[in-house]
Amino acid sequence: MDELTRLLAANGLLFAFVFVGLVMLVSYRLSAWLTRGRIHGSAIAILIGLVLAYLGGITTGGSKGLADIPLFTGLGLMGGAMLRDFAIVATAFGVDFAEIRRAGLSGALSLIFGVVVSFFVGAVVAFSFGYTDPVSMTTIGAGAATYIVGPVTGTALGASSDVIAISVAAGLVKAVLIMIATPLAARTIGLDSPRTAMVYGGLMGSTSGVAAGLAATDARLVPYGAMTATFYTGLGCLVGPSLMYLVIRAIAG
Amino acid sequence: MVIYGVAILAASMIFGVAAGDVLGRLIGVEANVGGVGFAMLVLIFVTDHLRRTGRLCPVSEGGIAFWSAMYIPIVVAMTAQQNVVAALSGGPVAIIAGVLTVAACMALVPVIARVGASDDTAPAGAEAARHG
């Protein structure tokens, strides 16, 4: 058993391919048998991934889910930022550029609304829980944008470490929720075309959440949503410690 | 050769990420601004040009198509290493802020999709879209 564990850990990336292959197989079988294909196989696979991440997290106490278990370090490589972005870029192959150009205006509009709405909703929730100073409100609002914008904004404004931790958690909740809720809400909000996918990416902003959520909904929409989402974090980091802080301070301060 | 496709893809990504870093530094943000988006645009332009001049053979395309098809399994591996425990243990502020934000932004999707759609028909809108 020890020998086997060592062998699998030494070939981490290959074991990750085998493991994810099995998760996909089980997920697509479950999709066909239990839901007759109504819930997409990749949606089930993503849900299983999140459950495994939770189990890994409570077992090891680490921050990287299942990848903190030595046997599964290969998952960290396979699902890490480099290969993830590499595969996201690859999905652009075969994209219709006319679609992107046509959705350019609504895509830009969705980015602005996405960032502003997230900041204000987060700030209002923070206020209602007693975080009434503008710095804490802006930082938690930034976390409601993404879990990267949160700490960047909080550090720039000098927020306390517990407020920064809350902002990261808010961003994580958002990302996980987008992964789960996208396929469920897709029909209601009309998420069925490249242009709506671009609007969706701009409004939601979490690249990982949007990419996984769209993959579980309709894989053809992934490149369009991912493209706008990728600009969101930059915009959030730009306006968070500056414009959004000034506005929130003017209103609440 | 398959490696040609993989090389084009990798070069596009490095170029895009570099552009995102430069843009981030220019506007004074400690983040990569749209690197993946730029990389996608580079890939679209380069492959389109190569295909039109007949220099991208199906085997080379396979090198890109493979990674495109690996996308969902890679995303599953990514979800398995999310910090789900931290997300759930952030307390009610974090959870309520996350849930309400997602709900509010989702509700805006049909609204903003419609705003852009009406502009599409007008030539002025198409012009704005090109620059936006």
Side-chain angles (χ1 to χ4, degrees):
Chain A
M1 193 61 208
D2 263 7
E3 201 67 17
L4 181 67
T5 313
R6 212 173 309 134
L7 176 78
L8 295 180
N11 297 284
L13 182 60
L14 302 185
F15 179 55
F17 287 153
V18 175
F19 183 75
V20 173
L22 287 174
V23 170
M24 298 299 288
L25 181 70
V26 169
S27 305
Y28 276 81
R29 286 285 153 83
L30 284 176
S31 163
W33 289 341
L34 294 182
T35 75
R36 295 189 176 190
R38 217 169 301 149
I39 298 179
H40 206 280
S42 38
I44 297 175
I46 284 162
L47 205 59
I48 292 178
L50 289 172
V51 171
L52 291 173
Y54 178 76
L55 294 177
I58 50 171
T59 330
T60 64
S63 63
K64 283 189 294 185
L66 201 60
D68 276 327
I69 298 174
L71 188 58
F72 293 105
T73 45
L75 279 179
L77 189 55
M78 180 179 173
M82 185 174 71
L83 283 186
R84 184 201 64 188
D85 291 347
F86 194 55
I88 289 182
V89 172
T91 62
F93 184 59
V95 145
D96 185 358
F97 188 67
E99 291 280 5
I100 292 175
R101 219 168 52 179
R102 212 174 306 149
L105 180 65
S106 48
L109 207 60
S110 69
L111 271 171
I112 297 167
F113 272 90
V115 170
V116 170
V117 167
S118 298
F119 262 91
F120 276 104
V121 171
V124 167
V125 171
F127 185 85
S128 62
F129 274 88
Y131 296 92
T132 51
D133 62 296
V135 169
S136 298
M137 286 173 66
T138 310
T139 304
I140 294 173
T146 76
Y147 54 79
I148 295 172
V149 181
V152 167
T153 302
T155 310
L157 295 176
S160 66
S161 62
D162 64 310
V163 166
I164 291 180
I166 290 173
S167 80
V168 173
L172 288 171
V173 169
K174 184 180 179 185
V176 169
L177 200 63
I178 294 170
M179 294 177 192
I180 299 171
T182 305
L184 304 177
R187 190 169 299 184
T188 318
I189 60 177
L191 183 56
D192 58 3
S193 66
R195 75 170 292 114
T196 46
M198 285 188 73
V199 168
Y200 190 71
L203 276 169
M204 308 312 288
S206 155
T207 312
S208 48
V210 167
L214 288 178
T217 309
D218 181 351
R220 284 168 303 174
L221 300 179
V222 167
Y224 301 99
M227 190 173 296
T228 41
T230 176
F231 288 97
Y232 183 103
T233 297
L235 182 64
C237 290
L238 178 66
V239 299
S242 53
L243 187 65
M244 295 313 296
Y245 173 63
L246 293 176
V247 172
I248 288 173
R249 195 181 58 178
I251 296 173
Chain B
M1 279 204 275
V2 167
I3 186 64
Y4 293 162
V6 181
I8 291 168
L9 176 57
S12 304
M13 177 159 155
I14 291 172
F15 187 84
V17 171
D21 275 340
V22 169
L23 184 59
R25 214 166 301 154
L26 280 180
I27 59 180
V29 172
E30 285 173 62
N32 187 288
V33 179
V36 172
F38 291 131
M40 291 168 117
L41 291 174
V42 172
L43 181 71
I44 294 169
F45 283 126
V46 169
T47 52
D48 183 62
H49 176 74
L50 289 176
R51 207 183 296 161
R52 248 185 298 168
T53 51
R55 280 181 291 174
L56 191 68
C57 68
V59 181
S60 304
E61 287 188 1
I64 305 171
F66 171 79
W67 285 103
S68 177
M70 277 299 282
Y71 169 70
I72 290 176
I74 285 176
V75 162
V76 171
M78 174 195 79
T79 56
Q81 52 172 316
Q82 295 294 305
N83 199 347
V84 180
V85 175
L88 295 179
S89 62
V93 189
I95 294 175
I96 292 173
V99 170
L100 288 184
T101 308
V102 170
C105 291
M106 275 190 176
L108 279 175
V109 172
V111 181
I112 292 181
R114 203 178 311 139
V115 168
S118 57
D119 273 279
D120 275 351
T121 47
E127 191 60 30
R130 199 166 305 146
H131 297 295

